[in-house]
Amino acid sequence: MPAQSQTSIQMALRDPDVALMLRVRDDDAQAFEELVRRYQDRLLTVMYHLVGNRDEADDLAQEVFLRVYRHRKEYHPQAKFSTWLFTIAHHLAQNVYRRRQRKPEAQLDLTDSGMLAQQPQERWRAAMSPAPDAQLRHEELSQVVQEAIAQLNDRQRLAVVLNKFEDMSYQEIADIMQISVKAVKSLLSRARAQLRQLLAPYVQMEMRSGPLPRALSHNATDAPRPPAVSKPQPQGAERHE
Amino acid sequence: MSEPSPLSEQEREELIAYLDGELDTQAARAVEEKLQRDPAWRREAEQLQATWEMLDFLPQAHAPASFTERTLTFLQASQARQLRYRRLRRNLVYTAWAAAVILSALTGFWSGRGHPVFPSAEPPWPPSEEVLLLLQHREYWPYYDKLSSFSFLRQLDQADLFEEGS
């Protein structure tokens, strides 16, 4: 048996999405539909945080799926299917960044409206005010965090979003971004240090007032939020009260 | 604003990689020792972890119910477009070939006017006496264009032409 097809079988056994994609490669339309259903929310979330605009994220996610289908015959499973999918997504997002550099007026719209136009300090005071109930406080923090993420550079944002939402390892992120694991480590370290600086007032506020009700709906489409991906917490990382 | 980190950039990288579960056993143990020994490391870990947890407030997008259907419809339309494009391209290639053939035929025709490229009829069969005569004398072929008439050839054919006394 050729080595390539042996790898395909091993990958398909390990990752059910690889098996699905292999069916797509064999022109199974139903498998493609299933693949879209499985990944649409995840892809849309990542695209939304990368480009900061819901409509654009929607179009890009659709384009990613179309490219998956168009290039199905070239698919050879060597890693998880999601790595291939998000590599395509990364390339498309890069096109958007390049277009924005050429036309600087097109910016992330996270800070364009309402409370998002405020400076972080003003927002911090608003969030600390006694009036807002939990829902308001939650929405406020959601906007604050979105703005903080938008302040990261494109590469840092991608690494953070893949690490946070897709729970990807440094190796997987390196594969997608086509950089070394060491570079990912450095990228994430700087991104998290920057986020720590930007969100410090809110982190302190949260630590003082106790954890916020994260189960509140605060997503882009008002649908219930799935539980956050929990990473294994190594010893020493727990909070010291 | 928060206090500046007491850790160097490399130490912070190690700590974050540790929090992400990316270190090997030996490196993880080294970080754990520092966390146990140094309150500044613990504070940094705590703040980094709390900041990371704040990202849980980021909205998660949910595709509208029509997304899958819209994507599939778009795909079908795109495939139909590609098919049309492929047909158009194929037709253009055929047309170009046909045009090239016609053009070269016309060029050949116009450039060859008065000097027909193709003989108007097949050579007569059986060949004439003169042709047969010429074929018999291969040694004279190089001088073919110097022959004024076939009568000279006929004379050559007569064996006694160069005999003495003739």
Side-chain angles (χ1 to χ4, degrees), chain B residues 129-163:
Chain B
E129 189 195 346
E130 288 87 353
V131 172
L132 287 173
L133 203 57
L134 183 67
L135 287 171
Q136 281 169 18
H137 294 277
R138 187 187 171 89
E139 66 273 22
Y140 298 127
W141 287 6
Y143 311 107
Y144 173 65
D145 59 340
K146 305 247 178 344
L147 292 176
S148 54
S149 68
F150 279 102
S151 58
F152 180 65
L153 263 182
R154 278 201 200 94
Q155 287 175 11
L156 283 177
D157 198 33
Q158 291 165 12
D160 57 345
L161 181 64
F162 296 106
E163 281 179 10

Side-chain angles (χ1 to χ4, degrees), chain B residues 2-3 31 37 43 45-46 58 89 112 121 124 138 144-145:
Chain B
S2 67
E3 295 164 23
V31 172
R37 213 176 42 230
R43 253 196 321 277
E46 184 185 331
L58 282 172
R89 200 175 57 176
R138 187 187 171 89
Y144 173 65
D145 59 340

